[in-house]
Amino acid sequence: MIENNENIFPEEKPTGEENKDITATEAPVAEETPTPDPEAERLELKTRVYGMSASELLEYLDAEITAERLPETAFMNRLKNLVERSATPTDETDDTEDEEDEESAEAAIPEASSENEELQIAYINLRTRYQQLKNDLKEKEKKEREENLRLKEELLVKLEETLNSTGDFFKVRNERNNIVARWREIGPVPENNRTSVLDRYAKLNDQFYHQNKLEKEAMEEDYRHNRREKEGFIARAKELADEPDVEKAFHELQSLHDRWKEVGPVAPEFRDAMWAEFKDASATVNRKFDAYHQELHRQFEENFEKKKGIIERLENMLIELPKTREAWRKYETDMDAIRTEWKSAGRVPKDKTRDVNLRFRQAVDEFYLRRRTFMKELSAEITPKLEKMRTLAAEAAELKESEEWRSTTDRMLEIQKEWKEVSNLGANVGEANRLWRQLRQSMDYFFGKKREAVKSNKSARNENLEKKRDVAERLKALWEEKPEDFGTKLAELQEEWDAIGPMPDAKKDEVMNLYYGTLREIRGTSGRREGGRPRGEEGGRGRRDNRQKPERGATAPKSQQSVSVDLNKDVTSLDTKALQEERRMVKKAIAEQNEELRKLETNLGFFQGSTNSPMFAHVQQQKDRIHSNIKDYEARLEEIKAAIKNAASTSSDTAEEEGEVAGEEA
């Protein structure tokens, strides 16, 4: 208890619900400066915050933290509850889809939306920033209090030196008044140093008046000044007894007691009476504070019992779960009511909060886990068909950008047939309708793009015809002239020919015969091209004569014996299917060559430091030969690609018509 002496300050005692006889000077002091109508402003802000949605509250708190204003803990907890509510599966689920599809587990159990995932990620980031700001502000406050302690200790030293000086009274008084004014400007000090600093300060003030008691007039003036201030403290303490906000009144009272200590003494005849009056006013506030916390504790205990009852009801629901979809809907309604009742039940004692919340959350999670399991079992027949639809829709979406018109058209028609086989689900499934719209969009996009390509391809092919005719005529003229740089110009014409795209199928034979016929004359061969390139023709796609490649008719090296690739074959005479098979074989041959190359490189690792070894040279020769083979096969792939493109363009118009008809039927 507080002694009846204003200059004696007892040791601090911890405040809380357990301390029943707490007094103003025994409780921790909150160093706060009252602001005009703070509670009205806080109530208005709290009302506005609790009316916000999760995204709105997230945006508001983000702005506060960015501005380095620490939000209230209650606001962060509010956001946490909103985010957890949005993340709980089926917590806010609309039953529209369930009514539309009674048998679709996919409709009944929506996965967490990307919007909810983004909200959770944003909350986690905000929580991290909040904690960082809180720690920063706490560290800043700690440094400020330490700095205030240093400044006040300097003032105490200075005040002590002033009082011990031999100067006249008025000079000492003026210096002391300056120190007092500066003291009041400095903020709070660390809590563990507060009492000792105030005690030293009060002791030096008493010393000031004791040393200068002969200056009665000045001392009485100070007494009167101090009395006026302390009478104001007493009046305010009495007003706090009627303050409706008990917490606010209690903390303001702590501030009054600190200020009482900082003000100097009053005349001895008023000293005891004023302290007794101030102490009685403080006791009234303390009794209200104790009663308030006792009532609060009683309410928390009632809330705890209420929440225990809610949990027991929920756990009883989990003992025997429904067997039908309709029964589950009733259970979902009951669950919504339970969650609403839980939120309105209020706070519980702090030492029981974690356990009771954990027990409730486990029961809720178990409920929704059982529901998801039921829905998945219910949809056992529909799910495989939906999975097939997803695969077909995804494949169509992937193929829609393809420009392999013939092969892609064939696959699109096959996708439509496969879709018809699985599309009859026996129910109106929302996801199936969505997937069909997605598939239809991919089909329309592909065939529309194909029509545009055919239109532009016709004019481009006519231009290519004239360009290749010009190249063939210049090749013929070059062969007749036979200039000194014949080889160089021949290679340039071949590269120019290869760079030009395909020609109209109905008109290309004349130009192809002229071009390849001239090449055969140059190489000393004979014969004309009838609808395609001559078999065994060595320079058909413009390959350089001096390029290293396996000899014609020779067997493939050991590394590629598992795949037989005939580099002499005339690919222009093959149909689309044969070309695709040829391309597959060449790619496989390249893969085998690369595997052999990898093995040889591994073997080279054993010759480190002995590069002059004959075995090292042998392995290096094998590597060089394989690199040469790979280049030949890659050139062969380019020939096959061009041949496939020409073959596809031949039947593009027919395939387009087939695709459009099939699309309408689907």
Side-chain angles (χ1 to χ4, degrees):
M1 299 297 293
I2 300 177
E3 299 293 338
N4 189 18
N5 189 327
E6 64 183 14
N7 291 325
I8 300 177
F9 307 106
E11 295 181 356
E12 295 180 352
K13 298 179 181 178
T15 61
E17 299 172 9
E18 298 80 12
N19 297 334
K20 305 303 181 183
D21 297 326
I22 190 168
T23 62
T25 56
E26 293 171 340
V29 177
E31 300 286 346
E32 297 179 357
T33 303
T35 56
D37 296 329
E39 288 305 312
E41 295 177 1
R42 184 178 181 276
L43 181 60
E44 180 183 357
L45 176 60
K46 184 176 181 180
T47 303
R48 183 161 59 89
V49 165
Y50 276 73
M52 294 180 180
S53 65
S55 57
E56 292 172 341
L57 182 54
L58 182 69
E59 183 178 355
Y60 166 74
L61 294 177
D62 179 73
E64 290 293 293
I65 293 175
T66 301
E68 296 187 352
R69 294 190 293 267
L70 189 69
E72 292 189 26
T73 303
F75 296 167
M76 292 297 296
N77 291 337
R78 170 67 176 171
L79 177 60
K80 176 184 177 183
N81 292 336
L82 292 175
V83 172
E84 288 180 347
R85 188 184 310 167
S86 67
T88 302
T90 70
D91 186 14
E92 302 291 340
T93 300
D94 190 346
D95 287 334
T96 303
E97 270 193 301
D98 290 348
E99 295 173 359
E100 187 178 30
D101 173 27
E102 291 292 333
E103 304 191 24
S104 172
E106 297 299 326
I109 313 169
E111 295 294 331
S113 66
S114 59
E115 181 179 354
N116 287 341
E117 291 178 358
E118 293 176 0
L119 184 63
Q120 294 175 50
I121 294 173
Y123 167 73
I124 293 172
N125 293 335
L126 182 71
R127 186 76 189 183
T128 302
R129 293 173 54 210
Y130 167 81
Q131 194 62 43
Q132 182 63 44
L133 177 61
K134 184 177 180 180
N135 294 338
D136 292 345
L137 293 179
K138 186 176 181 180
E139 184 65 24
K140 181 180 178 181
E141 181 185 5
K142 179 181 178 182
K143 292 180 179 179
E144 289 178 351
R145 285 177 177 258
E146 290 174 352
E147 176 64 15
N148 294 339
L149 175 63
R150 184 186 67 80
L151 295 175
K152 285 192 173 183
E153 286 178 341
E154 289 179 356
L155 290 178
L156 289 174
V157 172
K158 187 175 182 181
L159 179 57
E160 186 174 6
E161 292 174 351
T162 301
L163 295 178
N164 293 332
S165 66
T166 57
D168 62 75
F169 169 76
F170 293 101
K171 183 178 180 181
V172 170
R173 186 183 66 174
N174 290 339
E175 184 65 23
R176 179 258 179 189
N177 290 342
N178 290 335
I179 292 174
V180 169
R182 175 64 181 133
W183 178 278
R184 293 176 179 175
E185 293 174 357
I186 301 173
V189 300
E191 285 296 318
N192 56 343
N193 301 107
R194 181 177 59 85
T195 301
S196 62
V197 169
L198 287 175
D199 285 347
R200 287 177 61 194
Y201 180 71
K203 182 178 179 181
L204 290 173
N205 273 333
D206 287 345
Q207 179 182 343
F208 168 76
Y209 290 105
H210 178 72
Q211 288 178 347
N212 299 283
K213 58 184 178 181
L214 299 178
E215 301 293 339
K216 186 176 181 181
E217 182 179 349
M219 183 174 61
E220 288 178 351
E221 176 60 29
D222 278 347
Y223 280 167
R224 285 192 294 271
H225 172 75
N226 296 341
R227 180 183 174 186
R228 286 193 298 270
E229 284 205 57
K230 290 192 174 183
E231 285 174 344
F233 297 159
I234 294 171
R236 181 54 185 162
K238 291 179 179 179
E239 292 175 0
L240 291 178
D242 299 324
E243 170 63 45
D245 189 336
V246 178
E247 292 277 359
K248 175 188 174 184
F250 179 78
H251 290 298
E252 186 174 343
L253 182 64
Q254 313 311 304
S255 178
L256 289 178
H257 272 263
D258 281 352
R259 293 168 65 189
W260 181 282
K261 294 178 180 181
E262 292 180 344
V263 174
V266 298
E269 62 268 25
F270 300 109
R271 193 168 298 177
D272 292 342
M274 291 184 69
W275 173 245
E277 188 177 4
F278 183 58
K279 186 174 67 172
D280 290 342
S282 299
T284 302
V285 176
N286 289 330
R287 283 193 296 270
K288 287 186 65 177
F289 182 77
D290 286 342
Y292 167 76
H293 274 278
Q294 290 173 5
E295 175 62 21
L296 199 62
H297 185 73
R298 186 190 63 79
Q299 291 178 2
F300 286 176
E301 288 293 341
E302 290 180 358
N303 295 342
F304 175 70
E305 294 299 326
K306 189 185 301 183
K307 287 194 171 185
K308 278 178 58 180
I310 294 173
I311 293 174
E312 290 171 359
R313 282 175 21 225
L314 178 56
E315 290 174 342
N316 290 334
M317 287 175 60
L318 298 175
I319 295 176
E320 187 175 355
L321 294 171
K323 304 296 184 183
T324 65
R325 182 68 185 90
E326 289 298 327
W328 268 107
R329 285 190 175 181
K330 182 179 182 304
Y331 257 48
E332 291 164 17
T333 302
D334 294 343
M335 171 58 77
D336 290 340
I338 286 176
R339 291 172 69 89
T340 301
E341 184 180 357
W342 175 271
K343 293 171 185 175
S344 61
R347 297 171 59 188
V348 300
K350 189 172 182 179
D351 59 334
K352 301 177 181 179
T353 299
R354 184 180 181 278
D355 292 339
V356 74
N357 286 342
L358 179 61
R359 185 179 170 190
F360 178 74
R361 172 53 60 187
Q362 288 174 342
V364 171
D365 291 345
E366 179 68 17
F367 175 86
Y368 287 115
L369 176 62
R370 301 279 190 88
R371 182 183 183 277
R372 284 194 296 271
T373 302
F374 173 81
M375 290 302 170
K376 288 179 180 179
E377 294 174 353
L378 188 66
S379 65
E381 180 182 355
I382 295 178
T383 300
K385 294 183 177 181
L386 284 175
E387 186 62 31
K388 179 66 174 178
M389 289 181 176
R390 293 190 197 101
T391 302
L392 294 175
E395 184 179 359
E398 184 178 352
L399 290 174
K400 70 179 183 179
E401 298 290 349
S402 173
E403 294 185 358
E404 300 288 342
W405 305 117
R406 182 56 181 270
S407 59
T408 306
T409 298
D410 293 342
R411 182 54 191 152
M412 286 292 196
L413 297 179
E414 292 175 3
I415 288 175
Q416 291 175 7
K417 292 178 182 178
E418 293 177 24
W419 182 277
K420 289 180 181 179
E421 295 174 359
V422 298
S423 60
N424 185 15
L425 299 180
N428 185 19
V429 181
E431 185 180 3
N433 295 333
R434 178 181 64 79
L435 290 171
W436 165 247
R437 289 192 295 270
Q438 178 181 338
L439 177 73
R440 184 67 196 185
Q441 289 173 357
S442 299
M443 294 284 182
D444 292 344
Y445 178 85
F446 171 75
F447 287 112
K449 190 176 70 164
K450 181 180 176 182
R451 283 193 297 271
E452 293 298 324
V454 169
K455 291 178 182 178
S456 62
N457 196 33
K458 288 180 180 179
S459 60
R461 285 177 177 243
N462 288 329
E463 293 179 4
N464 294 340
L465 177 67
E466 297 305 320
K467 291 179 181 178
K468 287 197 171 183
R469 188 192 304 277
D470 177 63
V471 173
E473 290 173 352
R474 283 188 284 140
L475 178 63
K476 184 70 174 177
L478 179 67
W479 174 237
E480 292 174 354
E481 294 177 5
K482 298 182 180 62
E484 293 181 359
D485 56 349
F486 176 80
T488 302
K489 291 186 176 180
L490 174 62
E492 292 175 353
L493 287 175
Q494 287 178 314
E495 290 180 359
E496 183 177 353
W497 174 275
D498 290 338
I500 301 172
M503 300 176 290
D505 192 63
K507 304 177 182 180
K508 65 182 180 181
D509 283 347
E510 178 187 355
V511 176
M512 296 285 280
N513 282 327
L514 176 59
Y515 177 77
Y516 287 109
T518 304
L519 285 179
R520 283 191 293 274
E521 291 178 13
I522 294 172
R523 292 178 171 82
T525 60
S526 61
R528 290 180 56 79
R529 179 185 186 276
E530 298 296 339
R533 191 184 308 170
R535 290 187 180 275
E537 203 264 322
E538 187 173 310
R541 295 302 297 173
R543 291 205 305 267
R544 301 283 182 89
D545 290 340
N546 58 352
R547 189 179 61 211
Q548 293 182 356
K549 54 185 175 290
E551 296 181 0
R552 306 298 182 181
T555 59
K558 181 179 179 180
S559 60
Q560 61 185 90
Q561 284 181 359
S562 59
V563 177
S564 177
V565 178
D566 185 3
L567 297 178
N568 292 322
K569 184 184 296 185
D570 182 12
V571 295
T572 60
S573 63
L574 303 178
D575 58 19
T576 302
K577 187 174 182 180
L579 286 170
Q580 291 174 345
E581 176 64 18
E582 187 72 14
R583 179 173 59 184
R584 186 188 69 80
M585 296 292 290
V586 173
K587 287 184 176 180
K588 186 175 180 181
I590 292 176
E592 291 180 353
Q593 291 286 286
N594 283 325
E595 176 62 18
E596 184 67 18
L597 186 62
R598 183 189 66 79
K599 294 178 180 178
L600 291 176
E601 288 176 344
T602 301
N603 293 337
L604 284 178
F606 298 108
F607 296 97
Q608 291 182 359
S610 59
T611 56
N612 295 325
S613 169
M615 185 62 70
F616 180 90
H618 176 70
V619 174
Q620 189 63 49
Q621 290 173 1
Q622 287 182 308
K623 282 184 59 181
D624 295 340
R625 185 174 63 256
I626 291 175
H627 280 301
S628 176
N629 292 340
I630 291 175
K631 290 181 181 179
D632 285 340
Y633 289 139
E634 288 174 346
R636 186 65 166 181
L637 277 180
E638 293 300 318
E639 292 181 12
I640 295 173
K641 181 178 179 182
I644 290 176
K645 193 171 183 180
N646 286 332
S649 64
T650 302
S651 55
S652 60
D653 295 335
T654 304
E656 177 189 3
E657 295 174 1
E658 292 174 355
E660 291 174 350
V661 172
E664 293 299 326
E665 291 176 353

